[in-house]
């Protein structure tokens, strides 16, 4: 079966790491052309160092580059209260030895897309600043993109404000460029990602695993639970993993085609992904397939299997 060309744009971030691990465990199906970083969960410097530390730990040479250090218009927003001061608290990684291919992530993305044999799928798991810039500076890339499977947005709630999810809220202007681009989008918003949540027992099992990748993932996730526990939660959403899992197992999900518009106002609704969900309202054709439900147990089973495969491949080297 032909592999799917993918580029991952992320802000690692604990759940970004879990998404990267799932993709890395499925390189028989995903041809990972490269990874870019963007300011989000932590500063660009920190999330880029985190990617380099992860690549060093996993002994990887997949090309990577750093992208935007701030959103298009507003000041950067970060999520240190969730992902820690480093942006990837909970595990002692080796000093980063892996070197970036470029410090211009937008040109890096453009070159990987234009050089690829066949079309490319983008997997953004952070604010959409890099993708918005890519489409603005190099619009010719759009026709080379098969689809965008992104984590972001929410139809009926928010996690950074009552109405907006963090990745969109961090850079609504960039998100508007992406959602108005005409490129096919599958949106993994909070309706589905909050259901893709790991529990304490599963984390403890990972932490006691013999495999170093599973132990690392469990330790990062244990640290990630602190914020959620303080909010009274007892399960912990693997938000970004959904955007990769959908590409591997679309049948695991239920979704709807909606017209999604990004609120770029500076008021209370800033960053909202407003969806035309009413039959009577349909003025505009849909621009996104919005995932709304997932078989959680099946999702976790596939995720744990992926970690086991990485345990074997990393430990066997
Ligand atoms: O709202 C969840 C999203 O914000 C995830 O991508 C998480 O990593 C943070 O970036
Ligand atoms: Ca993220």
């Amino acid at each position: 079966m032909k592999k799917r060309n993918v580029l991952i744009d992320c802000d690692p971030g604990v759940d970004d790491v879990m998404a990267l691990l799932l993709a890395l465990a499925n390189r028989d199906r995903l041809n990972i052309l490269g990874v870019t970083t963007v300011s989000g969960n932590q500063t660009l410097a920190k999330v880029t160092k985190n990617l380099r530390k992860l690549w060093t730990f996993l002994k990887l040479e997949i090309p990577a580059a750093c992208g935007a250090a701030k959103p298009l218009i507003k000041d950067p927003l970060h999520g240190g209260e969730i992902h820690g001061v480093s942006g990837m608290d909970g595990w002692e990684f080796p000093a980063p030895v892996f070197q970036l291919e470029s410090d211009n992530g937008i040109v890096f993305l453009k070159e990987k897309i234009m050089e690829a044999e066949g079309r490319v799928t983008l997997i953004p798991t952070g604010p959409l600043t890099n993708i918005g810039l890519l489409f603005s500076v190099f619009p010719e890339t759009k026709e080379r993109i098969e689809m965008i499977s992104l984590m972001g947005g929410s139809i009926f709630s928010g996690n950074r404000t009552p109405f907006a999810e963090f990745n969109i809220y961090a850079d609504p202007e960039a998100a508007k460029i992406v959602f108005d681009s005409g490129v096919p989008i599958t949106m993994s918003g909070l309706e589905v990602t909050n259901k893709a949540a790991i529990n304490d027992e599963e984390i403890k099992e990972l932490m006691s695993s013999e495999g170093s990748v599973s132990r690392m993932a469990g330790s990062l996730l244990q640290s990630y639970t602190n914020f959620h526990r303080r909010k009274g939660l007892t399960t912990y959403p693997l938000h970004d993993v959904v955007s990769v899992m959908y590409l591997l197992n679309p049948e695991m999900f239920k979704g709807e085609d909606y017209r999604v518009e990004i609120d770029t106002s500076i008021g209370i609704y800033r960053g909202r992904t407003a969806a035309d969900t009413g039959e009577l309202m349909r003025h505009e054709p849909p621009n996104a397939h919005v995932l709304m439900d997932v078989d959680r147990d099946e999702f976790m089973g596939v995720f744990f299997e992926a970690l086991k495969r990485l345990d074997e491949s990393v430990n066997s080297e």
Side-chain angles (χ1 to χ4, degrees), residues 11 15-16 41 125-126 167 240:
D11 58 336
D15 58 326
D16 300 75
N41 283 323
T125 63
N167 285 342
D240 294 334

Side-chain angles (χ1 to χ4, degrees), residues 45-67:
K46 287 185 176 181
V47 301
T48 304
K49 184 175 181 183
N50 291 341
L51 185 71
R52 293 180 55 226
K53 289 194 289 189
L54 182 65
W55 260 217
T56 303
F57 173 76
L58 295 171
K59 305 182 185 73
L60 293 174
E61 288 302 324
I62 295 172
C66 55

